[in-house]
Amino acid sequence: MAKEQSADRRKARVRRTLRARAYGKPRLSVFRSSKQIYAQIIDDERGVTLASASSLEKDNRGALKTGANIEAAKTIGKLIAERAVAAGVKEVVFDRGAYMYHGRVKALAEGAREGGLQF
């Protein structure tokens, strides 16, 4: 129970900091499980998801060996960047949630930067 509470506090702290510094920019939110990785571009002012990508999509399932490695995260980062640019989003704030910025989360961020997103 204590571990969940500390993760919730960490997630809330990261989101509070993002809101203070976002200045109306959409948020690139990352969720990772033990087997998959997901990313969303969210406009918090309107409460709308502008773009999303995950390792569970049909196109990605065939191309990726697994959704739980750094290569998959980088691919999902590039994909979310392509979809965001197509939706007219070029600048975002990166919401890593309660996850540390390394491994798959870092790879997704680097892939999104390579795809054209700025944060």
Side-chain angles (χ1 to χ4, degrees):
M1 187 73 170
K3 188 175 184 179
E4 292 174 6
Q5 289 174 342
S6 65
D8 288 341
R9 282 195 305 268
R10 188 167 46 248
K11 188 183 337 179
R13 182 177 62 234
V14 169
R15 295 245 167 89
R16 187 172 48 248
T17 305
L18 285 176
R19 276 192 214 107
R21 297 180 181 162
Y23 303 114
K25 295 178 195 170
R27 172 170 55 105
L28 171 56
S29 179
V30 176
F31 175 76
R32 68 173 172 81
S33 69
S34 62
K35 297 182 180 180
Q36 308 297 336
I37 191 157
Y38 311 84
Q40 289 183 324
I41 305 286
I42 303 167
D43 184 355
D44 288 321
E45 291 178 353
R46 294 186 296 160
V48 177
T49 299
L50 303 173
S52 66
S54 79
S55 56
L56 280 176
E57 295 174 4
K58 275 191 173 182
D59 299 338
N60 297 332
R61 273 188 281 164
L64 301 173
K65 182 177 177 184
T66 177
N69 59 17
I70 289 176
E71 292 83 25
K74 198 162 201 163
T75 302
I76 298 302
K78 289 179 184 177
L79 183 61
I80 192 71
E82 289 174 13
R83 293 178 180 176
V85 169
V89 177
K90 294 184 181 179
E91 286 190 35
V92 296
V93 291
F94 188 68
D95 179 8
R96 62 182 173 81
Y99 309 117
M100 291 174 46
Y101 186 79
H102 76 99
R104 290 189 287 155
V105 175
K106 183 178 178 181
L108 190 139
E110 290 172 352
R113 284 188 183 110
E114 287 177 16
L117 282 182
Q118 296 177 350
F119 53 93

